[in-house]
Amino acid sequence: MARPPLILPFFISHAGCPHRCLFCDQQAITGQSAVAAAGLDGGAVAARLDAWLPAARAQGRPVQVAFFGGSFTGLPVLRQEDLLAGVGPRLADGSVAGIRISTRPDALDDATARRLAGRGVTVVELGVQSMDRQVLAAVRRGYSPEAVVQAFAVLRRHGLAVGGQLMIGLPAETPRRLLASGRWLADLAPDFVRLYPTLVLAGSGLARLLAAGRYRPLSLAEAIARSARLCTLFAERGIPVIRIGLQSSPALAASIEAGPYHPAFGELVQGRLLFRQLRRLLARSRPRRLCLSRADESQVRGPGNISLRRLASLGLLAGVELRFLAELPRGTITVDPPS
């Protein structure tokens, strides 16, 4: 199996965004200020790459440069070209395998996709957030689901891999709308998906709605349950979910006013999925022994051993030995037959 790329990120917080959506505060999310992002140019990109690449090469993985945090294709074309030119020499000598960018679905057209592909961009992450009209309107996203469909078509036409980001718990969302949104995105066959719970960040439009009593964020349990359902949906379609939850940082934690924040949110979701899998398996048969990956142990146990205690309370662990083995890859469960 090919090793995943090592991603060297550059953050362009808020840059290229035509407006600020209700949920947004890129400075808190990325830990980078918009002022610092404004000072990033091709020369700075080239200099940082030259500093980073020796250590990156030592890992023996392909290197991918990423421009995150804003809407890359919303930048003036000359600035896009300058930033991409900073990577160009390292693409030419093979030190960098490709470039990924993040952008809005409505900030793409055929000419833009062709230009990106010609400059070494191989992956585009779309900030889809939702495929539901009412949800998109409620958060003032500024486009319709059809814009997402069109963006996928344009990018695929030029041979670019496409990922989609979805948010859980946005205003006007219901479990049914979220599931329908996930199914519509899955129908577009993204190469990967990221899932983010909606957090109320200081200074955002959501913070004002919360203060006025017009928005209720999801509880942590609700966000975990909805995220797990989406993970199951994408797994059934063979679509990898490469991240669940925002990257924890002091800036993010300090900015959160409300919402289902947990520094290990993704692990809690994976634990929920493993719990369901084990419950189904143990309900069908009573094996003598279950062997699982040691790397999955914290997720299997859950916070404070809660998942195993729940299985025991259901009478599903009586007479069953659990073993966590270092040699088993993540996600592996081997079963000894019933006695």
Side-chain angles (χ1 to χ4, degrees):
M1 181 181 296
R3 299 186 70 187
L6 176 65
I7 295 176
L8 301 182
F10 293 88
F11 293 100
I12 54 169
S13 306
H14 286 309
C17 295
H19 59 274
R20 187 172 298 186
C21 303
L22 282 183
F23 52 79
C24 197
D25 183 348
Q26 284 291 338
Q27 180 175 340
I29 292 169
T30 66
Q32 302 284 327
S33 72
V35 172
L40 183 68
D41 60 15
V45 169
R48 288 191 209 173
L49 281 180
D50 287 343
W52 289 343
L53 279 172
R57 291 192 195 100
Q59 296 195 32
R61 292 163 58 187
V63 173
Q64 205 172 68
V65 170
F67 293 99
F68 288 144
S71 294
F72 189 88
T73 57
L75 295 171
V77 172
L78 288 178
R79 187 168 183 218
Q80 294 180 48
E81 292 290 293
D82 178 51
L83 292 171
L84 295 174
V87 190
R90 298 297 162 249
L91 285 169
D93 68 17
S95 300
V96 171
I99 301 170
R100 74 167 59 200
I101 66 165
S102 61
T103 196
R104 291 168 55 94
D106 59 345
L108 285 162
D109 56 23
D110 197 75
T112 299
R114 183 186 305 111
R115 178 171 53 79
L116 293 175
R119 298 295 187 274
V121 174
T122 54
V123 182
V124 176
E125 295 195 30
L126 297 176
V128 174
Q129 319 311 6
S130 178
M131 294 293 286
D132 185 271
R133 297 178 197 283
Q134 293 186 54
V135 173
L136 289 172
V139 298
R140 304 173 189 170
R141 193 65 180 149
Y143 55 76
S144 69
E146 286 76 16
V148 180
V149 176
Q150 177 65 18
F152 266 81
V154 165
L155 294 168
R156 288 271 166 73
R157 190 154 55 239
H158 293 279
L160 295 166
V162 191
Q165 302 169 1
L166 282 182
M167 295 184 67
I168 294 96
L170 289 169
E173 179 189 286
T174 65
R176 179 174 296 181
R177 286 179 179 171
L178 178 63
L179 190 56
S181 186
R183 285 174 177 152
W184 195 350
L185 180 59
D187 288 343
L188 298 175
D191 294 281
F192 59 90
V193 170
R194 297 181 194 259
L195 302 177
Y196 297 123
T198 301
L199 304 176
V200 180
L201 303 178
S204 68
L206 276 188
R208 293 188 290 275
L209 288 184
L210 178 72
R214 295 166 54 199
Y215 173 68
R216 183 188 72 84
L218 297 180
S219 68
L220 183 60
E222 288 172 324
I224 290 170
R226 293 189 189 188
S227 299
R229 182 65 188 90
L230 285 180
C231 285
T232 300
L233 167 66
F234 291 121
E236 290 169 350
R237 303 285 191 95
I239 299 166
V241 177
I242 65 170
R243 182 161 191 88
I244 310 168
L246 291 167
Q247 181 69 41
S248 179
S249 73
L252 176 63
S255 182
I256 296 171
E257 292 193 356
Y261 174 71
H262 192 284
F265 183 81
E267 182 162 311
L268 295 179
V269 174
Q270 293 296 342
R272 173 75 172 242
L273 293 167
L274 277 169
F275 172 80
R276 291 176 178 174
Q277 183 180 0
L278 287 172
R279 184 176 61 187
R280 288 193 300 268
L281 188 156
L282 291 167
R284 288 197 304 267
S285 64
R286 294 300 173 85
R288 291 193 305 267
R289 181 184 298 116
L290 287 179
C291 296
L292 306 100
S293 171
R294 185 170 296 167
D296 291 330
E297 184 170 0
S298 65
Q299 296 175 358
V300 171
R301 293 186 179 279
N305 234 27
I306 187 171
S307 294
L308 292 186
R309 288 192 282 109
R310 287 178 64 192
L311 290 172
S313 71
L314 295 170
L316 296 177
L317 288 181
V320 180
E321 177 190 2
L322 293 182
R323 298 186 65 190
F324 295 96
L325 306 176
E327 61 267 26
L328 290 179
R330 298 204 73 152
T332 302
I333 302 176
T334 62
V335 180
D336 283 355
S339 54

